[in-house]
Amino acid sequence: MNQDLRKRIAEIIYQAKEGHIPSSYSIVDIINHLYTSVLSYDSNNPTWEKRDYFILSKGHGCAALWVVLEKLNLLPERALEQYSQFGGILGGHPDRTKVPFVEASTGSLGHGMPMAVGCALAHKITGNDNKVFCLVGDGECHEGTIWESAHVAANRNLNNLTVIVDWNQSAAQLCPTDDLPAKWRSFGWHTVVFDGHDQTQIEAAFNENDAQAPTVLIAKNVKGKGVSMTEGHGPWHHKIPSKEELEHILEALS
């Protein structure tokens, strides 16, 4: 696990008094792998025409994206120091009009994936080799737009599209017997289930593909992973730590 990135997430959220620590901890290992080992991009040109696209549909987990972009020097200098502050470019949800390397403004759950499908379809039509990746939450998978998009993607054989599902059991509070892998398979997607916090399994999952179908990588994640106090559900979903709680979090990650 990426403990230093988790520490940074806690620090910026504590400083700004805004953000979702558990949701960010759930996906930070995957986002780090995407940007360090999977995505093709030009660090000096965010709009490079041959780049791969990443859309964080689960926009409220964007602190995980911000710390990875900072780590790789893909943000303006000291941008994270102004996270969720007046005059800063980084907020509690991604804004493509302000932040380099952000392809879509997200936060209204269920809408990032339709944009990803449209993007992947456009590249198919024009014959480009660009790949498209989209990360959604398991609760988000109750949105009708997710399944409309899944249906279109499978019918158009969008093998340039990979969706990652943060299967951290948030949705189990409402639908405890929901079988997400079976749902995606029924829509014609190449489906891979893996541990989203284990680096070896992450690498193996992202090496999976299908020449005729879109791929969904269903990550068995833990919400708040890394700190027992934040793991699971309840008040920590959008809770800002006190100074003492921040110290506890940082110590647990050391």
Side-chain angles (χ1 to χ4, degrees):
M1 293 192 303
N2 296 277
Q3 306 297 65
D4 288 343
L5 294 176
R6 285 179 167 82
K7 288 181 181 180
R8 186 67 170 137
I9 289 169
E11 290 169 346
I12 65 168
I13 289 178
Y14 170 76
Q15 175 183 318
K17 309 304 179 195
E18 165 57 31
H20 296 75
I21 290 176
S23 299
S24 299
Y25 281 9
S26 186
I27 61 178
V28 68
D29 301 310
I30 290 172
I31 292 179
N32 182 65
H33 180 72
L34 270 167
Y35 276 88
T36 57
S37 303
V38 178
L39 297 174
S40 293
Y41 58 88
D42 182 345
S43 59
N44 296 313
N45 181 12
T47 59
W48 178 46
E49 63 180 13
K50 295 184 179 180
R51 72 190 184 279
D52 292 334
Y53 290 68
F54 173 60
I55 294 176
L56 179 61
S57 188
K58 181 180 173 170
H60 60 281
C62 64
L65 176 59
W66 300 155
V67 298
V68 171
L69 294 181
E70 180 190 54
K71 167 188 171 181
L72 298 173
N73 298 313
L74 298 178
L75 289 175
E77 186 176 358
R78 299 184 63 80
L80 216 52
E81 302 300 327
Q82 292 182 295
Y83 165 69
S84 288
Q85 301 296 314
F86 181 77
I89 64 171
L90 305 178
H93 294 85
D95 186 339
R96 67 174 300 276
T97 68
K98 296 179 179 179
V99 188
F101 299 98
V102 168
E103 303 289 353
S105 299
T106 57
S108 297
L109 295 178
H111 298 311
M113 186 177 161
M115 287 187 276
V117 169
C119 183
L121 180 58
H123 285 301
K124 275 287 187 181
I125 291 171
T126 54
N128 297 330
D129 294 327
N130 310 62
K131 296 178 181 178
V132 180
F133 298 83
C134 180
L135 194 154
V136 305
D138 58 354
E140 194 172 1
C141 289
H142 290 293
E143 299 278 356
T145 53
I146 294 289
W147 301 110
E148 291 172 8
S149 303
H151 190 52
V152 170
N155 271 270
R156 298 306 296 263
N157 301 320
L158 297 183
N159 62 341
N160 59 339
L161 173 64
T162 298
V163 169
I164 307 107
V165 179
D166 179 25
W167 196 19
N168 65 15
Q169 303 304 311
S170 291
Q173 298 172 89
L174 181 64
C175 297
T177 60
D178 195 20
D179 189 342
L180 272 180
K183 279 187 178 180
W184 285 93
R185 291 189 187 101
S186 73
F187 273 78
W189 284 59
H190 178 58
T191 305
V192 180
V193 181
F194 67 108
D195 182 339
H197 303 300
D198 181 282
Q199 187 59 36
T200 300
Q201 291 195 37
I202 292 173
E203 291 174 5
F206 277 93
N207 285 330
E208 289 269 357
N209 59 74
D210 189 298
Q212 303 299 323
T215 294
V216 59
L217 308 180
I218 300 180
K220 295 189 292 183
N221 293 342
V222 175
K223 190 170 184 176
K225 178 67 174 180
V227 180
S228 59
M229 181 173 68
T230 64
E231 290 183 355
H233 305 285
W236 273 102
H237 175 72
H238 191 229
K239 181 179 178 180
I240 307 304
S242 66
K243 182 178 179 181
E244 292 74 21
E245 288 168 333
L246 174 65
E247 291 173 352
H248 175 84
I249 290 171
L250 297 179
E251 181 178 353
L253 293 169
S254 296

